[in-house]
Amino acid sequence: MPKVSVIVPIWGVEKYIEACVVSLFEQTLMDIECIFVNDCTPDNSMSVLKMIIEKYPNRKQQTKIIDLRNNGGVANARTVGMKIATGEYMIHCDPDDYMESDYFETLYNKG
């Protein structure tokens, strides 16, 4: 079981998703699960996400992508992510967020 599950809803964030994913994959906490929920995004957000995943092969097995059949909104995407999360702790991350590299390790150690 990972220490932390990070749930990221994806919809219309092609311009921002790269910085978010890179900041997740460059975390000092290695025992982290990243769950990306594609809420039927109409842009190239998923292509950008998959390109970044390929650049971080050490994080590939810790990454899950869920493709929803219908756009259900951000709350639904977060709920779907929570249902499959396996971490000791869960956190929601917006796809236009950027975290410092020790963010999750610091939070975990405070828990």
Side-chain angles (χ1 to χ4, degrees):
M1 166 172 49
K3 293 178 178 176
V4 177
S5 293
V6 183
I7 302 161
V8 185
I10 307 293
W11 192 91
V13 292
E14 179 179 357
K15 294 179 182 178
Y16 312 107
I17 191 69
E18 182 173 358
C20 175
V21 177
V22 167
S23 74
L24 290 175
F25 288 173
E26 292 186 353
Q27 290 294 305
T28 55
L29 181 66
M30 295 306 294
D31 197 4
I32 187 171
E33 168 184 62
C34 296
I35 302 169
F36 299 97
V37 184
N38 176 12
D39 197 19
C40 301
T41 187
D43 64 5
N44 291 316
S45 297
M46 296 309 295
S47 296
V48 174
L49 171 62
K50 290 174 183 174
M51 177 189 69
I52 301 304
I53 290 170
E54 291 303 316
K55 290 182 179 181
Y56 290 85
N58 61 320
R59 292 289 192 176
K60 203 170 192 174
Q61 288 195 343
Q62 300 166 311
T63 302
K64 296 177 183 176
I65 296 176
I66 307 303
D67 292 308
L68 300 181
R69 292 183 183 178
N70 300 300
N71 176 270
V74 68
N76 180 65
R78 292 185 194 282
T79 300
V80 169
M82 289 177 6
K83 287 179 181 177
I84 67 158
T86 61
E88 181 180 347
Y89 295 100
M90 275 187 268
I91 190 164
H92 295 282
C93 175
D94 288 328
D96 59 350
D97 288 345
Y98 170 88
M99 284 69 54
E100 294 294 328
S101 62
D102 63 344
Y103 181 76
F104 292 113
E105 184 171 26
T106 300
L107 284 177
Y108 183 80
N109 289 333
K110 296 284 181 183

